[in-house]
Amino acid sequence: MESNVFDTALIFEGGGMRDSYTAAVVNVLLENQIYFDNVYGVSAGSSHSCNYISRDRWRTKESFVGFVKDKDFGGWDTFLEHKGFFSAHYIYEESGKPGGNLPFDFVSFAENPAKITISSFRRDTGETVYWTKKQMGSLDALMSRVRASSSLPIFMPPPQIEGFACYDGGLGEGAGLLLPKAERDGFEKFFIVRTRPKEYRKKEGDNPMALLFPRRPYLRKALNTRAQRYNAMCEHMEELEAQGKAYIFYSKNITATSATTEEAVLEENYKAGYEQAQEELPKWREFLGL
């Protein structure tokens, strides 16, 4: 386990099942032995980050494609049982155990010297909480934090981490991309994997979902300002790209949505991402000096 890219931060955007497209990017990186020493991810991008650090190509794809066949994956039944549209406790805290349907190779994750940072949103204060390997010293600690980074309001119940409820990290700083954190950590070059095309911007204005949380002022504010913050982050990334400081993988041919659960659609989405990644691979090598 050795890294070979040290001066560039690898950043994964979230996006629920849209990440079936960028799972292919993870696997093309691994297949070509492109090993970043610093990885950042939020929401579904936190799953990519952990699978990348453990160098598990099977799990990288299975997490966003084949896993939907699992009868306990989720749906309206689990939503009505207050387990979430995506059955979060099962997905993140049960299936990844040895013998589970999606076992996680924690030994390889721990042995890899590469560093990882994921984030979540603290419901009671609005604080963005960052976690590294220091806070993920066991499989249970890792999986509970990946779950926290990925728990969408309404669609998933927020888990309790160290005594406080956490929601999807996309509500916090960076609005779904940990670029600000990577910049504070001292990086000046970035390889950013997005689950949206370049021209995508969110519609700004109040989020109707915020009305469902009258007693959660920080959550309401995060929901109502997320589109504006996300769009500003897009502009900042493109400025870095124009300066030659960022390589941005844009998901050009993505067909899945964040809530897609049809395996055939997710498989085709993965294949499209794989084809685009293979096409761009020479440009990756050039940007990274490999």
Side-chain angles (χ1 to χ4, degrees):
M1 287 278 190
E2 293 182 357
S3 303
N4 54 17
V5 179
F6 296 92
D7 65 341
T8 304
L10 173 60
I11 301 173
F12 289 111
E13 182 177 17
M17 303 311 289
R18 291 200 311 274
D19 281 59
S20 55
Y21 196 95
T22 51
V25 176
V26 178
N27 278 346
V28 170
L29 288 170
L30 292 175
E31 288 167 5
N32 289 275
Q33 299 180 341
I34 300 175
Y35 301 135
F36 288 80
D37 197 53
N38 290 270
V39 186
Y40 297 78
V42 64
S43 195
S46 67
S47 292
H48 279 348
S49 299
C50 292
N51 291 331
Y52 175 82
I53 294 289
S54 67
R55 299 187 183 178
D56 191 334
R57 286 183 282 168
W58 172 82
R59 193 178 195 276
T60 292
K61 180 180 179 182
E62 192 72 5
S63 295
F64 293 95
V65 180
F67 191 36
V68 295
K69 293 182 297 184
D70 190 311
K71 63 181 178 62
D72 296 316
F73 180 79
W76 291 114
D77 288 343
T78 58
F79 181 80
L80 294 174
E81 293 170 358
H82 305 288
K83 297 178 182 178
F85 182 79
F86 298 104
S87 187
H89 185 271
Y90 173 74
I91 290 171
Y92 294 103
E93 300 191 55
E94 293 183 29
S95 67
K97 294 180 178 179
N101 283 353
L102 201 67
F104 183 77
D105 186 355
F106 185 77
V107 172
S108 295
F109 174 86
E111 290 181 348
N112 191 335
K115 293 166 279 295
I116 181 173
T117 303
I118 67 175
S119 75
S120 188
F121 176 86
R122 183 167 166 171
R123 187 180 67 182
D124 62 337
T125 64
E127 176 188 3
T128 300
V129 184
Y130 294 100
W131 296 306
T132 65
K133 277 187 175 179
K134 182 178 180 181
Q135 292 82 33
M136 296 186 281
S138 68
L139 179 60
D140 287 344
L142 180 149
M143 287 300 173
S144 64
R145 284 163 174 78
V146 172
R147 176 187 171 186
S149 182
S150 309
S151 292
L152 293 166
I154 299 178
F155 288 96
M156 300 180 192
Q160 296 279 328
I161 305 293
E162 299 175 2
F164 51 85
C166 286
Y167 274 121
D168 193 293
L171 295 170
E173 183 184 35
L177 288 143
L178 295 193
L179 178 58
K181 173 60 174 168
E183 289 179 311
R184 283 202 306 278
D185 287 347
F187 286 96
E188 297 181 353
K189 284 186 66 178
F190 311 92
F191 190 99
I192 303 170
V193 182
R194 295 198 56 197
T195 57
R196 297 289 193 181
K198 184 172 184 176
E199 64 275 10
Y200 176 80
R201 296 293 187 275
K202 292 185 181 296
K203 183 178 179 180
E204 297 187 14
D206 287 352
N207 187 328
M209 189 185 296
L211 297 174
L212 300 175
F213 299 97
R215 299 181 181 180
R216 305 293 181 191
Y218 296 105
L219 180 56
R220 289 202 314 274
K221 180 179 179 180
L223 287 166
N224 285 331
T225 62
R226 185 173 181 236
Q228 180 181 358
R229 293 182 290 117
Y230 181 89
N231 294 344
M233 188 56 52
C234 290
E235 298 297 327
H236 180 47
M237 285 189 293
E238 291 177 15
E239 290 173 359
L240 293 172
E241 183 182 37
Q243 296 167 9
K245 296 180 179 180
Y247 185 97
I248 305 178
F249 178 92
Y250 297 102
S251 295
K252 298 177 181 178
N253 303 307
I254 195 164
T255 54
T257 70
S258 60
T260 297
T261 56
E262 293 81 12
E263 184 186 10
V265 175
L266 297 169
E267 179 69 40
E268 288 302 312
N269 205 48
Y270 177 88
K271 289 180 179 178
Y274 193 87
E275 290 176 4
Q276 183 183 337
Q278 290 284 15
E279 291 173 2
E280 294 189 20
L281 180 59
K283 295 179 181 179
W284 299 0
R285 294 188 182 279
E286 181 181 1
F287 178 77
L288 298 171
L290 296 174

